């Protein structure tokens, strides 16, 4: 029943004309009932009357729970095969062998010819590739740029966010100054553990517009047990005075005003933990069931002589050994009983799959891909992969914008400033700079269940002019058409043209490795 706040007119009518007041109240209730109110917002319906909610902003809903969510997410990834497998699947599909950059400058904006544009693009790609392939690009020298891509994405999934710094380091062995340094989410916190304010929230200091101004980092992880226990913070500006970026904050923003990221497993932590414990219990029960145990029941409860066997050291043991075709006499009024825990449980697999379907929905993975087991038809399996790749491609674009592209821009800017890359007008206009820095990033192609069908479909799209060779090479093979495929075709064409028409040579044998 809908309740209304009584107006002054309602109170007057109740005193003067009660019947009119009752009719007016009923009419208002009828209008409200047909005016589109939601059952989910009702406070009287049995299913939702005890549902207590709190309207709060993004930070209020998440910041208090974040430390616990991070710890439990890390624990699950360490100890739960399903959780670890889910994160591995996402990282392998999004990053794979690494995201590769292709320079695609806006030559019409820059007034360059096609040849001039190609020269800059090749030089920029070569300059960045040299930096990215070296372990010196990382200040800790623990991996190249591809390794840091996977590490940053994995940390973001596990902890909710990750930070990347851009320190400037001079070295005699490495000609670049730009380095990257990854910092875990736990190290970003308010200095001296002070409470959050409107301008300082969870280690992120903001300006009056809510944009990041400065970050507060602990000099060591708060959970580290190595070294002294002294806690100290270092403040790093988000940008330098010249506008150069100092810090990348990589996280998926789910709500406006959200300051810190949420671990990827946050919504499924409880079912994952319970499913892990249930699996361990079933495994233990199956192990116990494999230990065939016989109990001897007597009237007195005392052990009998026929079952007593000599143990090591000459002492008597109440355990008997079972042998092939062995016959053991039982005393009067004795019988045997066996323990049968009923394992393995025949309902274990259907129940686990039902829970995995829900977990897969929560983390954006079809359960077939979550458990790496495809038992349905080709169409169903392909549909599961296509559905997963919607998420993989969206996350790949997000990660490129948050992590890869800003790093590429920092390295190319260094090359222009040092005069190693020629880009007229780069430092004079924001629009010209953006035109030079336009790129596309490619990664591993989508898996193909039937390569022949996929190849025919790609050919049809090209022939129908709904796609092109560059796009199909990128999406189906994960390679660059102009760099990886076209040079080989041109080389073969030149070899064939070099053959005189009078020569009777088999074209297939020409490229045979054995010839």
């Amino acid at each position: 029943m809908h309740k209304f706040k009584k107006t002054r007119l309602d109170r007057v009518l109740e005193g003067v004309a009660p019947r009119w007041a009752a009719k007016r109240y009923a009419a208002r209730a009828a209008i409200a009932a047909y005016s589109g109110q939601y059952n989910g917002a009702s406070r009287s319906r049995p299913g939702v009357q005890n549902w207590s909610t709190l309207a709060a902003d993004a930070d209020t809903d998440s910041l208090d729970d974040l430390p616990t969510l991070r710890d439990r997410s890390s624990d699950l990834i360490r100890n739960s095969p399903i959780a670890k497998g889910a994160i591995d699947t996402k990282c392998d599909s999004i990053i794979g062998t690494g995201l590769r950059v292709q320079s695609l400058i806006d030559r019409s904006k820059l007034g360059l010819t096609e040849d001039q544009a190609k020269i800059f693009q090749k030089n920029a790609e070569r300059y960045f590739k040299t930096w990215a392939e070296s372990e010196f690009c990382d200040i800790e020298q623990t991996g190249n740029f591809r390794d840091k891509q996977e590490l940053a994405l994995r940390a973001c999934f596990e902890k909710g966010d990750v930070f990347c710094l851009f320190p400037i380091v001079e070295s005699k062995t490495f000609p670049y100054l730009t380095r990257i340094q990854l910092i875990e989410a736990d190290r970003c916190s308010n200095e001296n553990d002070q409470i959050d304010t409107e301008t300082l929230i969870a280690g992120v200091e903001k300006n009056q517009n809510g944009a990041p101004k400065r970050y507060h980092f602990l000099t060591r992880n708060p959970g580290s047990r190595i070294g002294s226990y002294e806690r100290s913070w270092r403040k790093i500006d988000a940008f330098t005075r010249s506008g150069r970026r100092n810090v990348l904050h990589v996280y998926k923003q789910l709500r406006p005003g959200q300051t810190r990221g949420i671990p990827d497993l946050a919504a499924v932590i409880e079912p994952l933990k319970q499913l892990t414990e249930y699996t361990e219990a079933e495994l233990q029960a199956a192990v116990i069931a494999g230990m065939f145990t016989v109990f001897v029941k007597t009237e007195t409860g005392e052990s009998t002589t026929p079952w007593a066997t000599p143990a090591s050291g000459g002492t008597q043991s109440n355990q008997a050994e079972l042998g092939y075709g062995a016959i053991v006499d039982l005393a009067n009024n004795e019988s045997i009983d066996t323990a049968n825990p009923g394992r393995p449980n025949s309902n274990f697999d259907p129940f686990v799959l039902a829970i995995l379907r829900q977990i897969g929905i929560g983390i954006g993975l079809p359960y077939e891909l979550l458990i790496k087991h495809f038992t349905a038809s080709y169409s169903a399996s392909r549909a599961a992969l296509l559905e997963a790749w919607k998420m993989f491609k969206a996350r790949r674009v997000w990660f490129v914008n948050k992590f890869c592209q800003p790093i590429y821009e920092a390295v190319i800017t260094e090359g222009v400033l040092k005069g190693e890359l020629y880009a007229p007008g780069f430092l004079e206009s924001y629009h010209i700079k953006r035109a030079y820095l336009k790129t596309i990033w490619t990664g591993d192609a989508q898996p193909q269940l039937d390569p022949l069908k996929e190849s025919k479909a790609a050919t049809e799209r090209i022939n129908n002019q709904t796609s092109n060779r560059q796009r199909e090479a990128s999406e189906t093979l994960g390679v660059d058409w102009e760099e990886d495929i076209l040079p080989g075709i041109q080389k073969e064409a030149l070899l064939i043209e070099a053959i005189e028409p009078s020569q009777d040579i088999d074209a297939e044998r020409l490229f045979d490795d054995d010839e």
Side-chain angles (χ1 to χ4, degrees), residues 84-359:
K84 182 181 183 302
I87 299 302
D88 287 344
T89 298
K90 284 191 171 184
C91 290
D92 292 341
S93 301
I94 297 172
I95 302 298
T97 57
L99 302 180
R100 299 171 293 277
V101 66
Q102 297 177 25
S103 178
L104 193 66
I105 66 175
D106 187 352
R107 67 183 184 89
S108 61
K109 172 68 176 178
L110 299 172
L112 301 178
T113 65
E114 184 176 353
D115 291 338
Q116 290 174 330
K118 287 184 176 180
I119 291 175
F120 178 83
Q121 289 171 173
K122 294 300 180 183
N123 290 338
E125 291 174 7
R126 186 181 299 110
Y127 189 84
F128 180 77
K129 185 177 181 181
T130 304
W131 176 88
E133 290 180 344
S134 173
E135 291 187 350
F136 288 100
C137 71
D138 173 34
I139 194 172
E140 298 175 352
Q141 301 179 19
T142 57
N144 58 23
F145 184 54
R146 184 267 164 200
D147 299 328
K148 297 303 149 182
Q149 290 178 15
E150 182 180 2
L151 182 59
L153 184 62
R154 187 178 296 274
C156 194
F157 283 148
E158 180 175 342
K159 298 285 189 176
D161 50 10
V162 68
F163 298 87
C164 179
L165 307 185
F166 289 100
I168 298 296
V169 179
E170 295 186 5
S171 173
K172 296 181 179 180
T173 58
F174 194 58
Y176 298 84
L177 300 177
T178 303
R179 303 289 194 276
I180 56 176
Q181 179 182 5
L182 297 182
I183 297 182
E184 275 196 315
D186 300 316
R187 290 179 56 185
C188 185
S189 62
N190 294 346
E191 186 176 10
N192 298 321
D193 298 322
Q194 59 182 292
I195 63 173
D196 293 327
T197 64
E198 293 183 356
T199 58
L200 179 59
I201 302 174
V204 181
E205 189 175 341
K206 301 181 178 182
N207 61 20
Q208 59 183 2
N209 297 322
K213 175 183 178 182
R214 190 174 293 110
Y215 295 89
H216 298 208
F217 293 110
L218 278 163
T219 55
R220 55 202 299 270
N221 194 292
S224 176
R225 293 179 175 84
I226 301 175
S228 64
Y229 289 93
E230 182 181 356
R231 292 162 59 88
S232 58
W233 280 260
R234 179 187 176 193
K235 299 179 183 179
I236 300 180
D237 292 335
F239 296 90
T240 64
R241 293 181 179 179
S242 62
R244 180 183 183 272
R245 186 184 294 271
N246 278 336
V247 182
L248 288 179
H249 186 188
V250 185
Y251 73 103
K252 183 73 172 179
Q253 189 174 27
L254 303 176
R255 293 176 58 183
Q258 179 181 335
T259 305
R260 301 296 302 271
I262 310 297
D264 198 57
L265 301 177
V268 296
I269 283 179
E270 183 179 1
L272 268 175
K273 179 60 175 176
Q274 292 182 349
L275 184 61
T276 301
E277 293 180 350
Y278 170 68
T279 303
E280 293 175 353
E282 286 290 339
L283 178 60
Q284 187 64 29
V287 171
I288 294 175
M291 302 176 183
F292 186 83
T293 304
V294 176
F295 299 92
V296 179
K297 298 188 295 185
T298 65
E299 293 182 351
T300 62
E302 297 178 355
S303 61
T304 56
T305 303
W307 284 91
T309 57
S312 59
T315 59
Q316 294 291 323
S317 171
N318 291 331
Q319 294 182 350
E321 295 183 359
L322 300 179
Y324 297 104
I327 299 175
V328 179
D329 293 333
L330 295 177
N332 294 333
N333 300 321
E334 289 184 345
S335 62
I336 64 172
D337 195 6
T338 59
N340 183 20
R343 294 297 187 276
N345 184 359
S346 59
N347 295 323
F348 174 78
D349 194 56
F351 175 75
V352 170
L353 289 181
I355 301 300
L356 287 177
R357 287 187 177 95
Q358 299 183 30
I359 292 175

Side-chain angles (χ1 to χ4, degrees), residues 347-477:
N347 295 323
F348 174 78
D349 194 56
F351 175 75
V352 170
L353 289 181
I355 301 300
L356 287 177
R357 287 187 177 95
Q358 299 183 30
I359 292 175
I361 293 173
I363 58 178
L365 285 177
Y367 87 98
E368 296 96 340
L369 195 60
L370 178 62
I371 62 177
K372 302 293 181 67
H373 189 56
F374 297 88
T375 57
S377 63
Y378 166 82
S379 299
S381 299
R382 189 172 186 274
L385 285 176
L386 290 175
E387 195 65 27
W389 271 86
K390 290 180 183 178
M391 181 270 295
F392 293 148
K393 289 192 290 186
R395 281 301 184 98
R396 182 178 288 179
V397 171
W398 162 79
F399 187 72
V400 164
N401 293 334
K402 286 289 188 177
F403 185 78
C404 299
Q405 182 66 19
I407 293 176
Y408 169 82
E409 293 178 1
V411 175
I412 297 302
T413 301
E414 178 190 334
V416 174
L417 291 173
K418 293 166 63 176
E420 298 181 4
L421 289 175
Y422 180 66
F426 187 91
L427 303 176
E428 299 173 2
S429 169
Y430 174 84
H431 299 288
I432 293 179
K433 180 179 180 180
R434 301 313 306 172
Y436 275 113
L437 295 175
K438 288 188 63 177
T439 62
I440 57 174
W441 290 77
T442 58
D444 294 343
Q446 176 182 327
Q448 300 178 7
L449 296 179
D450 191 332
L452 181 59
K453 290 183 179 179
E454 301 289 347
S455 178
K456 290 181 178 179
T459 303
E460 287 296 324
R461 288 192 292 269
I462 294 174
N463 293 336
N464 295 336
Q465 297 183 354
T466 57
S467 183
N468 54 51
R469 290 181 174 87
Q470 175 69 29
R471 180 176 179 180
E472 294 300 332
S474 175
E475 293 186 356
T476 61
L477 301 176

